[in-house]
Amino acid sequence: MAQSMAYNQAAGIGGMLKKGHKAMEGLEGATLRNVEACHEISTITRTSLGPNGMNKLVVNHLGKIIVTSDCATIVKSLEIEHPAAKMLQLAAEAQDFECGDGTNLVVSFAGELLMQTVDLFRMGLHPSDVVVGYTKAGDKMLKEFLPPLAELVKPMTNGREKEELLRVIRPVLAAKYLGSEDILAPLVAEACLGTMKSSTGPASFSVESVRVAKILGGDISQSLVVQGFVALRGLETTLTSAEDAKIVVFGCGIEASATEAKGTVLMKNADDLKNYNKSEEKKMEEIIKSIADSGVKVCVSGGTVSEMAMHFIERYGMLCLKIGSKWELRRLCVATGATALVRLGAPTPDEMGHCDHVHQKEVGGRPVTIFSQSEGSKTSKLATIVLRASTSSVLADLERAIDDGVHAARTACKDGKLVPGAGATEMELSLKVRAFADTCPGLDQYAIRAFGKALEVVPRTLAENAGLDQSVVVAALGAAHASGKLSAGVDIDAMGITGASGVSDETGVLDLYHTKASAFKLAIDAALTVLRVDQIIMSKQAGGGAGMM
Amino acid sequence: MGPMGMRPGIILLREGTDTSQVSSRHCHFHYFVDGRLDYHFNNLPKRFSLTSITIAFDFNIHSTSTQGKAQLISNINACQAVADAVRTTLGPRGMDKLVADGRRVTISNDGATIMRLLEIEHPAAKTLVDISMSQDAEVGDGTTSVVLLAVEILKQMKPFIEEGVHPQIIIRNIRLASGLAVQKVRDLAISFDIHTPEGEDMLLKTASTALNSKLISSHQDLFAPMIVDAVKSLSADGGADGLDDLRGMIGIKKIPGGDVRQSFLVKGVAFKKTFSYAGFEQMTKKFANPKILLLNVELELKNEKENAEVRIEDPEQYQSIVDAEWQVIYDKLDSCVACGANIVLSKLPIGDLATQYFADRGLFCAGRVEDGDLKRVAKATGATIQTSTNGLFVGVLGTCADFEETRVGDERFNIFTGCPNSLTSTMVLRGGSEQFIAESERSIHDALMVVKRSLKSRSVVAGGGAVELEVAKHLREHALRIEGKGQLIVNAFARALEIVPRQLCDNAGFDSNDILSALRRKHTQDEDGKWYGVDIENGGILDTFAAGIWEPSDNKSFSLASAAEAAGVILSIDETVINPRSQDPGAATGMMGGGGGMGGQKPLSNMMGGAMDAVNAQQGGSRSGNLGNGVSYLKGRGGG
């Protein structure tokens, strides 16, 4: 290492910086390395694109096993250290945050854009030429080419119609876990509909209000929606059901309050001793009695419930549930409209929640408590999808799929514009961008053409993942689009059937315009950021060089 | 420093990360060798020769066509190794496994128990543990066959993967096939009404079938009726409502010693006599229609609260304090007696003062009763457990027809029978050794679950591999109508189903090929041959339905569905990324060992260090790669 340092010192920069730094510059030193690193990431995730995408098994640093084809999850758990590749990760996370879906498009497209630059550099183009070309192409595409495509498909107009929502949710779920869409899409739609706020005005709901409860065992077809809350543990009391129940939620435990500081009760005479225990008991009875008198039928505690308290809860015929997690407790509050009390005592009517049915049920060998609201209930602000599957990795993956589906439904409620999916949009844009390239006079023409070619990555990968011959499919798709079939896309159902072209004029697959546009924009931005870097300087890592190679 | 004098590199992923998208590990960047980039190279200092650039780019570039194939094969091999561990336990002639984890010895042939104890570390093979567990939770039995089935599906699909069929095509057709199979099982199932004598008989036979493959199979004539009675008593009208809380409502008491045949069922609650103090002998041990008080109170002379302290100024007062303490406990005892109870049970100790006090007044008491037992008594007798002796009233007391403390074998038991809510029952198991009873308990639990399933679904299919063969035949017929590769895959799925009869034969020492061909022939040729399965007694084939080998249809449909699901999950993984454990510095340093000589840019392929070896090791079928560190493995006769 000393030798190479000596070279750097001669070049000047090494002499200026603290020993142990790393510096790379120029096309080969920095740009190409960055491009390569990003390409590496996108190769990992590319095979997960689309309904037929393969899964990745990631064992994270805690030893947890994640099996998924969700790109955001993959890049998040990869622990990427390369600074340029990290850009892609951040872009994917931004997309996940913004739209919840289309993350793989971001990474794949950005990776492909960067991969195309290798050829351009080989031709002698300077990175800045490429940046100019890509910027031009990106602007043109997002402003002029993409919007007209949204007119090809009837937009989602009414977010309150189940059928309308299904049109949006189904392709998203199919892309995450093929085969689940027919069962889960109606559940997701129902859950979303159930939590929509008011019956007038534009449809809208909060993503937070659709929850997933995972129970191992059974299969997907046994999944169901509960308008309300599902706690994955049983009730503490012998009574296990209540109707039209008022609910009190305590953030604290239901127990006699004890002093934090060490205190000792001093007793002076025999009467003190006799009454000591009784007084404590009496106090607890008073509290529980006052709660029961206020009409509450269900007590929910965020902490422990002392045996004495349980005794009186039983005595006054109430139900009691313990919920350990603060998040869960908050969700229950949302579902029932209760306010969590931090002090033991009877709630005011405002602080009480209400639930139409509370009961305990055994699902998959474990007891669960179900708080469900009747149809048309005012307080139903939360819906829970109870997921069933016989492996924990499938459960986790389905949960992510549902998350994406809910996000898509939310986005669709804001902006219902749709574009044709299954690679149709990308193919059309690719042709348009390439046609645009021919009209450009400068060196950026090459970059714009490369941009157009990069767009092909979507139909190409979809075909490849579906086990089709990608070159044949992309060629046929290009021909279909050139002859005016603007909605033609990759027909993944052609998989395994001999003689099928793999191209369908009308796939029925729809993508949200908003998601698509945002994914393109983030991918282009990430790629441009990577390309603009011509020098990498890394200081020596603190901590004795454990991270150094 | 590397020979090429590399620059210090930037690492793509965190150190120690192991990605095993096994494919080409070679550089495909041939652009660099020819073409116009040479021009740039010429302008570079010599140190950056062409070779150093190619090495710098020696990432694990995946050639697209073979991506992940080796990964898939390696995962399948790992799963096969796991299945081999439980394979021999299937069926009536299955062998047991002894698993010692340093502290306890477990002898079992229950798939779920073995899978749990194996401590499988291979991330893909862990999926098999999952399906085994969920089968256990959902159905209770069939935990071995679900693992075998999943692995056999994978094994049958392996040639297709090797030939380059896209995994998604396979997965899609597995889903298709499993859907068809589950539908076929439902069509084949024979439903029954449990209120008829035939229905009773059916339940009895499903219980016997479940017990058949267990350690206590020779005593099924004793246990099967006990199990059916216990489950049926759970719900008053024979409906499915009360069945949910099976684990809580049916107690299984293990009493080592005695003979298996001395096991018995109590329709009510029974528990072993608790530790008792002096005065116990004088107590009444038998009551008719007693009033029962259940407490969670300590009836002993003791400090009331940890943080209470008595300070007296006058020595005269000392006696009054002592008296007060006695008064406190006498108050408690008085209120117990005053409420009219005949029997006092407490979760906490009942001291000798209290024992004597109750004995004098003709009451029976028992302290330190286990939580589960006390809850069952509460359920059965209608009493509620009291945490305070203040404010006791008749409403909290329970009752039953008969209470008796009696001797069973060499142990004394408290037995409550004829309870008003006759929902609970207790099974008392006797047997030679602790392990034997533990395994008997697991077997009985499986059988209980099976009977519960049958009660819920009210339909059965024939066991002994008959239903698998019939479904396989159906799939083969259907496959002929499928166009393309799907046909082969559905056929392979059908072949995979035959693992159940095949393994039954293998375990019984029969020639599985002979028997299978006979069975296939019977199923295809005879109209009424659909229930023919392996005759485990005589080594031929027989109508297992007529022979009374019946299993709940849910059992079969669940295991088919979850085996197919697990196979799909494993086939859909084309890459494994193992991040270093955060609290495991060894993983990172191990990687770093050779780092100095590698030069700067560390190719991903080089990062497949220790953990990858574990994955590769299974390709040779070595099982130790799947198990935790320090797990040793002995199998077969010479093993010990």
Side-chain angles (χ1 to χ4, degrees), chain A residues 115-442:
Chain A
M115 204 51 215
Q116 292 291 335
T117 60
V118 175
D119 281 334
L120 296 174
F121 295 151
R122 219 171 93 194
M123 287 164 61
L125 255 72
H126 192 271
S128 63
D129 294 334
V130 180
V131 169
V132 170
Y134 276 8
T135 319
K136 254 190 193 170
D139 283 354
K140 193 84 177 168
M141 178 181 91
L142 289 173
K143 291 210 180 93
E144 289 179 25
F145 300 151
L146 188 57
L149 288 178
E151 284 155 23
L152 290 175
V153 187
K154 191 166 109 0
M156 191 188 89
T157 45
N158 187 359
R160 292 180 192 289
E161 300 259 333
K162 192 171 169 188
E163 285 305 314
E164 290 277 281
L165 277 177
L166 276 178
R167 277 174 67 206
V168 177
I169 296 168
R170 200 186 289 265
V172 176
L173 286 178
K176 299 294 164 189
Y177 197 90
L178 189 66
S180 71
E181 70 272 21
D182 288 336
I183 303 158
L184 290 184
L187 297 184
V188 175
E190 244 170 70
C192 293
L193 285 173
T195 60
M196 283 185 186
K197 282 175 195 102
S198 54
S199 48
T200 52
S204 75
F205 65 96
S206 153
V207 179
E208 302 268 295
S209 57
V210 178
R211 255 192 92 247
V212 174
K214 296 175 284 182
I215 301 173
L216 198 64
D219 64 84
I220 307 175
S221 59
Q222 293 170 322
S223 307
L224 56 121
V225 182
V226 174
Q227 295 296 342
F229 178 83
V230 176
L232 292 181
R233 61 182 295 164
L235 290 158
E236 305 292 323
T237 43
T238 38
L239 279 174
T240 51
S241 76
E243 299 289 313
D244 189 18
K246 284 181 180 157
I247 294 169
V248 60
V249 179
F250 293 104
C252 54
I254 307 179
E255 55 191 343
S257 44
T259 49
E260 288 293 329
K262 189 172 180 279
T264 308
V265 183
L266 257 187
M267 286 181 251
K268 289 273 167 28
N269 53 45
D271 286 339
D272 283 355
L273 186 63
K274 278 187 216 160
N275 293 329
Y276 176 61
N277 232 18
K278 279 190 191 143
S279 67
E280 215 178 18
E281 231 178 273
K282 213 171 196 169
K283 183 87 179 113
M284 182 54 77
E285 180 164 10
E286 266 171 30
I287 293 170
I288 303 291
K289 187 168 185 301
S290 67
I291 294 173
D293 286 349
S294 65
V296 168
K297 284 188 191 163
V298 183
C299 296
V300 181
S301 164
T304 49
V305 179
S306 74
E307 288 185 333
M308 190 56 73
M310 192 60 84
H311 171 84
F312 288 114
I313 289 173
E314 291 268 13
R315 175 73 61 88
Y316 289 101
M318 293 189 286
L319 273 63
C320 179
L321 175 71
K322 277 196 264 189
I323 295 181
S325 144
K326 297 278 172 218
W327 294 100
E328 295 279 283
L329 206 64
R330 221 181 64 191
R331 293 208 186 92
L332 177 66
C333 289
V334 173
T336 59
T339 315
L341 304 176
V342 286
R343 171 196 52 78
L344 208 52
T348 63
D350 289 348
E351 289 165 335
M352 276 189 254
H354 179 268
C355 183
D356 294 330
H357 317 277
V358 182
H359 64 281
Q360 181 180 321
K361 194 178 162 189
E362 195 201 68
V363 184
R366 62 192 284 187
V368 296
T369 310
I370 297 172
F371 292 82
S372 61
Q373 308 282 18
S374 317
E375 195 100 354
S377 159
K378 288 194 296 289
T379 41
S380 127
K381 288 185 188 123
L382 195 91
T384 307
I385 299 174
V386 180
L387 261 188
R388 305 296 316 276
S390 45
T391 54
S392 47
S393 45
V394 170
L395 271 181
D397 210 26
L398 284 175
E399 184 185 14
R400 283 187 286 269
I402 288 183
D403 259 7
D404 285 359
V406 173
H407 264 97
R410 201 258 326 243
T411 318
C413 286
K414 277 192 201 152
D415 179 1
K417 274 197 280 183
L418 295 165
V419 289
T425 303
E426 286 80 4
M427 197 66 216
E428 186 58 27
L429 291 176
S430 170
L431 291 178
K432 287 220 169 103
V433 169
R434 274 189 272 188
F436 168 63
D438 294 340
T439 65
C440 293

Side-chain angles (χ1 to χ4, degrees), chain B residues 15-16 584-594:
Chain B
E15 275 161 44
D584 188 7
T589 49
M591 299 292 162
M592 290 305 297

Side-chain angles (χ1 to χ4, degrees), chain B residues 230 246-254 264-266 268-270 372-373 376 424-429 441 444 448:
Chain B
L246 186 125
R247 268 166 226 252
M249 298 296 266
I250 298 182
I252 300 180
K253 296 279 139 197
K254 296 176 279 186
F264 61 94
L265 176 80
V266 177
V269 189
D373 290 333
R376 265 199 296 280
T424 59
S425 44
T426 311
M427 213 173 267
V428 180
L429 293 185
E441 187 194 359
I444 293 211
L448 284 170

Side-chain angles (χ1 to χ4, degrees), chain A residues 1 3-4 7 22-25 27-28 32-33 36-37 40-41 43-44 46-47 51-63 65 67 77-83 85 115 118-119 121-124 177-179 216-219 222 263-270 273-274 276-278 280-281 307-308 311 315 361-362 364-365 388-394 464-467 470 492-493 495-498 536 538 546-549, chain B residues 1 5-15 17 21 29 31-32 36-37 40-41 44-45 47 53 56-57 59-62 64 67 72 123-124 126-127 130-131 134 137-138 166-169 172 175 244-245 296 304-305 307-313 317 320-321 324-325 327-328 331 347 385-388 390-391 393 396 452 483-485 558 561-562 565-566 569 571-582 592 600-602 604:
Chain A
M1 187 160 292
Q3 224 183 347
S4 73
Y7 164 70
K22 297 181 242 180
M24 280 147 277
E25 60 182 332
L27 189 61
E28 292 76 22
L32 279 176
R33 278 188 172 197
E36 184 46 42
E40 178 67 22
I41 293 296
T43 347
I44 292 179
R46 239 181 75 171
T47 51
N52 286 322
M54 298 291 284
N55 287 341
K56 308 288 162 187
L57 191 155
V58 183
V59 182
N60 75 1
H61 65 103
L62 296 170
I65 295 176
V67 177
S77 41
L78 274 180
E79 300 196 31
I80 295 169
E81 288 215 339
H82 194 290
M115 204 51 215
V118 175
D119 281 334
F121 295 151
R122 219 171 93 194
M123 287 164 61
Y177 197 90
L178 189 66
L216 198 64
D219 64 84
Q222 293 170 322
T264 308
V265 183
L266 257 187
M267 286 181 251
K268 289 273 167 28
N269 53 45
L273 186 63
K274 278 187 216 160
Y276 176 61
N277 232 18
K278 279 190 191 143
E280 215 178 18
E281 231 178 273
E307 288 185 333
M308 190 56 73
H311 171 84
R315 175 73 61 88
K361 194 178 162 189
E362 195 201 68
R388 305 296 316 276
S390 45
T391 54
S392 47
S393 45
V394 170
E464 190 186 315
N465 288 351
Q470 37 151 324
I492 54 160
D493 292 323
M495 140 197 274
I497 296 172
T498 33
I536 307 171
M538 292 171 86
M548 272 281 297
M549 298 294 283
Chain B
M1 204 66 247
M6 293 279 307
R7 290 164 183 243
I10 302 170
I11 311 138
L12 183 62
L13 301 177
R14 201 178 133 194
E15 275 161 44
T17 302
Q21 190 171 17
F29 262 7
Y31 332 107
F32 291 102
R36 298 183 61 173
L37 207 67
H40 291 283
F41 287 155
L44 291 169
R47 214 173 283 282
I53 295 289
F57 283 96
F59 275 98
N60 187 13
I61 309 298
H62 323 290
T64 46
Q67 188 167 38
L72 273 165
K126 266 190 178 164
T127 313
D130 270 353
I131 53 168
S134 61
E138 200 69 36
H166 196 281
Q168 286 294 354
I169 300 182
R172 186 176 271 221
R175 283 203 188 125
D244 278 350
D245 192 18
N296 183 19
E304 283 292 330
K305 276 277 182 283
N307 58 354
E309 193 179 321
V310 181
R311 277 195 196 157
I312 45 171
E313 279 141 14
Q317 284 185 357
S320 72
I321 298 288
E325 281 200 330
Q327 194 57 51
V328 169
D331 282 351
K347 222 190 299 190
I385 299 169
Q386 300 294 306
T387 312
S388 156
N390 296 330
F393 61 100
V396 302
K452 170 185 155 185
E483 187 193 350
K485 296 189 187 83
F558 269 121
S562 44
E565 186 181 310
V569 170
L571 287 175
S572 72
I573 298 169
D574 76 335
E575 182 159 20
T576 305
V577 179
I578 301 174
N579 289 318
R581 287 227 178 196
S582 45
M592 290 305 297
Q601 189 78 54
K602 199 161 190 187
L604 274 175

